């Protein structure tokens, strides 16, 4: 899945590249999170049933809205965690 690969590429570039001023890596992470929310809204029912119970779709939507409209209030550590841990975990749960 493309988003899984994109998350891996961002993480591979490392925290320093992600945290650098005017980081394109950070901007890529924002785009991945926005696309992740879109993906969740288009999942077939059989795959949606595999979503982890701890996943808050409301939190995903809120994060997307912050990144889309109020990006300056986003917390970089949350964005990194979502890219490094949360999106890969969810994608792996729904693609098997």
């Amino acid at each position: 899945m493309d988003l899984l690969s994109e998350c891996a590429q961002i993480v591979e570039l490392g925290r320093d590249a992600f945290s650098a001023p005017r980081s394109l890596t950070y901007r890529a992470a924002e785009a991945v999170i926005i696309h992740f929310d879109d993906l969740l809204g288009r999942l077939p029912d059989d795959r949606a049933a595999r979503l982890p119970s701890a996943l808050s779709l409301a939190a995903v939507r809120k994060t997307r809205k912050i990144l889309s409209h109020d990006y300056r209030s986003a917390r970089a550590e949350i964005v990194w965690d979502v890219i490094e841990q949360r999106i890969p975990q969810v994608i792996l749960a729904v693609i098997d």
Side-chain angles (χ1 to χ4, degrees):
M1 185 163 257
D2 289 341
L3 291 179
L4 187 58
S5 163
E6 291 166 0
C7 286
Q9 289 176 31
I10 291 166
V11 171
E12 186 177 307
L13 289 170
R15 242 358 238 267
D16 289 341
F18 176 83
S19 300
R22 292 179 264 203
S23 170
L24 292 179
T25 304
Y26 181 87
R27 301 294 289 170
E30 291 177 326
V32 168
I33 292 169
I34 291 166
H35 291 150
F36 177 66
D37 180 56
D38 290 341
L39 171 73
L40 291 178
R42 294 182 281 114
L43 279 178
D45 290 341
D46 63 322
R47 292 189 187 246
R50 296 187 215 162
L51 289 170
S53 60
L55 177 69
S56 167
L57 296 177
V60 173
R61 177 60 39 99
K62 182 178 178 181
T63 302
R64 179 221 172 110
K65 285 183 180 182
I66 289 170
L67 293 174
S68 298
H69 304 291
D70 191 22
Y71 60 91
R72 290 186 180 150
S73 70
R75 293 180 45 206
E77 62 273 6
I78 292 173
V79 174
W80 179 262
D81 179 61
V82 168
I83 293 297
E84 182 182 41
Q85 299 293 325
R86 297 179 189 271
I87 290 176
Q89 290 169 353
V90 171
I91 291 174
L92 291 173
V94 298
I95 63 171
D96 272 343

